[in-house]
Structure formats: structure tokens, C-alpha cells
Amino acid sequence: MNITMKPDVAGLGGFLRDRRARLVPDAGLAGRRRTPGLRREEVAARAGVSVTWYTWLEQGRGGPPSDEVLERLARALELDAAGREALFLLARQRPPPIEPAPSSPVTPAVQRVLDGLATSPAFVKTAAWDVVAWNAAACVVFGDYDAIPPAERNGLRRLFGDPAHRARLPDWEEIARFAAGVLRLDVTRGFPDAIALAAELLETSAEFRRVWAAGEVRTQGSGLKRMLLPGGGLVTFDYATFAVDGGPGLSMMVFSPLSETDARTIADLVARRAEQAATDPRAQAQAGSTQPFSS
């Protein structure tokens, strides 16, 4: 006799509560808490699901989540390989799909294109605005991506959560509306990481909520951008965006200096960075990693 066992929903709820309690709240969100770990709404925002639905999961209500949602929950709860397998076994009574071996978001050829743009800051980003590849000019203009932890290389988190970065953008309001509009289009397209990022920012940033409420939808396209350099001085860029093979939503943004003076300024900063790398072993290790995802 064949017996089909019902997924262990009660076990799933207990597992989710336990793993949620083990997480450390993000900086600035900890505050005073009566219980350890993240709140339900924080996990829901990370996973891009509604708080009500996530609460039902912890309470053992509703059916088992889809594979896609389970993967997002695994990332939201920061599960390792064993935790991810346990999550799938509890929810669907089978192990998760085999994860493919990590591959490069960009090919060496794409990285060579980036590196060939000597005075034009350029980077490749995902639909969730995670910067996954860049060139030396991007490091001297937008921040040293080589020295920034991978989890913090996110354009929208910096735009809405980093006052120092905002202070360098004279046209911050326009840029913020543009970026939110681009994100909304990728959310509409159904990119899971973009959905999760929008949910996170709606939870954590009042400025993002205000801009998001305008309901704008934008394509990345091209335009002008002004920015104050770290050492002072305002530069103006003519930027353009190009789709990149390698994954849905992957795109390259290239910022070309609008004047010869701006181009020379960036060239001087890049040269200075290279000189520092040649004399400082630590800087050399960082500057040599401008191809961080090459295969």
C-alpha cells in the first residue's frame, strides 16, 4: 500500500522560528528587543514575502512553499548547505535541487571591457543593484569596491542608507526617483532578488518609501549624472547602460566624463591609486583584485 505523507508543517514552523532567533539584526535595527533574533517582518522583508504569509508558515498554516520561495527563505535565514537541506526536507519531504557549481557573473571578456575603460567608471550590476564587477575608475569615483565587503556592494542600499554617499550627489532626489523606477520595472518582471530588495528598503528606509510611492517606472537607458569626487571637485558624466549576458537583469553601466578636464582628473586619481598599490602591499592586493569574479 502506498502512503503519501503530509509535509511536516509543524516541524517547518519550529525550524523557521529557531533559525530566525539565531540571526543578528542589521546595524541600526537592533534597538530594544524582548526576544533574540530577527522579527517575523524582517525575515519576510528579506525573503520578499508578506508578513502574514510568513507568520502562517511559522504557525503551521497553509501549504508547503514553492522551491523558489524556499530558496529565498534559505537566503533570508542565512542557512548553510545543511540548513537549506533541512528546510526542504521539512517543507517538501525531499532534498533541495542540486546547486550548480558557482560560476562567474561576468566572463573574463566582459572584465577586459571594463578594464579597457581607463577614465570611464564602469561596473556590472544585478537586477537587485549588487555590483559584481568593476574597473579602477569606478573605485576612485564611486568608492573602493575592492575594499567593500561583498554584502555592502549594493547601489540602492548606499543610495538610501549611506548619508556620506548621498552628500556626494547634488541631484540625489532625481537619481533616487530614477533608481526606484528601474527597480520597480525589475520587480514587475518578477526578478526574485529585486522583489526582496524592494521589500527590504520599504521596511528600512522612509526616503525609499516616499520615492517608491510616486509609482514611477523607468528603464536604465542613458542620461547625465553629476558627482562630487572624494577629494573634492564636481564631475559630470554621460552614462549609458548595456545588457550583459550571464543572467537575467545583469547590466553594465558606463559613465563617460563629459569634459577633457574631468577625464584628466579621473586619470590622475587612477594613476595615484596605482602608485599607492605599487608601494603598499595591502593596497596592491586590493587593486589587483579588480577582476574578482573571473573564472
Side-chain angles (χ1 to χ4, degrees):
M1 180 175 63
N2 293 328
I3 299 177
T4 303
M5 297 183 65
K6 185 178 180 180
D8 186 358
V9 178
L12 173 63
F15 180 79
L16 292 173
R17 289 192 298 273
D18 174 73
R19 296 297 159 149
R20 176 167 61 84
R22 299 184 184 202
L23 295 177
V24 178
D26 296 331
L29 297 178
R32 286 191 172 183
R33 298 185 180 228
R34 289 176 291 182
T35 57
L38 296 185
R39 298 188 176 100
R40 284 172 174 166
E41 57 266 28
E42 291 167 344
V43 174
R46 285 186 173 195
V49 300
S50 74
V51 178
T52 300
W53 186 81
Y54 178 78
T55 301
W56 286 353
L57 279 185
E58 287 199 357
Q59 294 173 345
R61 301 163 61 187
S66 66
D67 284 6
E68 178 189 334
V69 171
L70 287 173
E71 295 287 12
R72 281 156 43 195
L73 286 171
R75 290 193 294 270
L77 294 167
E78 302 177 16
L79 301 182
D80 57 15
R84 174 173 172 264
E85 181 175 359
L87 178 66
F88 272 80
L89 289 171
L90 288 168
R92 303 189 68 84
Q93 285 202 298
R94 60 169 173 75
I98 297 175
E99 288 187 310
S103 59
S104 168
V106 300
T107 64
V110 171
Q111 184 64 55
R112 284 193 289 272
V113 171
L114 291 172
D115 293 338
L117 300 168
T119 61
S120 294
F123 54 77
V124 174
K125 71 173 188 63
T126 68
W129 290 75
D130 290 320
V131 176
V132 296
W134 55 86
N135 62 8
C139 286
V140 300
V141 173
F142 301 124
D144 195 347
Y145 292 114
D146 294 324
I148 298 173
E152 298 175 19
R153 296 174 190 150
N154 184 276
L156 288 193
R157 291 194 186 101
R158 293 182 70 194
L159 185 64
F160 289 97
D162 184 350
H165 182 67
R166 176 172 179 168
R168 296 179 55 207
L169 298 169
D171 308 307
W172 181 90
E173 181 71 24
E174 179 183 342
I175 293 170
R177 296 175 76 90
F178 162 78
V182 172
L183 181 65
R184 184 185 293 276
L185 183 57
D186 285 333
V187 167
T188 305
R189 288 167 172 160
F191 293 142
D193 289 347
I195 294 170
L197 178 62
E200 172 194 325
L201 293 174
L202 285 169
E203 182 72 24
T204 60
S205 171
E207 288 280 31
F208 181 80
R209 289 193 294 273
R210 177 181 63 80
V211 173
W212 186 260
E216 294 190 32
V217 179
R218 304 276 190 94
T219 58
Q220 294 184 60
S222 59
L224 296 179
K225 180 173 182 176
R226 298 190 303 161
M227 190 159 189
L228 290 166
L229 294 175
L234 182 68
V235 293
T236 303
F237 297 101
D238 186 2
Y239 72 83
T241 310
F242 309 90
V244 176
D245 289 337
L250 212 58
S251 59
M252 179 188 296
M253 297 193 74
V254 179
F255 297 80
S256 301
L258 209 57
S259 72
E260 287 295 326
T261 300
D262 288 346
R264 285 195 298 271
T265 298
I266 294 169
D268 289 343
L269 291 173
V270 171
R272 195 178 309 162
R273 181 173 185 268
E275 289 175 4
Q276 182 182 5
T279 57
D280 184 343
R282 291 171 299 178
Q284 187 175 28
Q286 290 180 350
S289 65
T290 55
Q291 195 172 3
F293 297 93
S294 61
S295 55

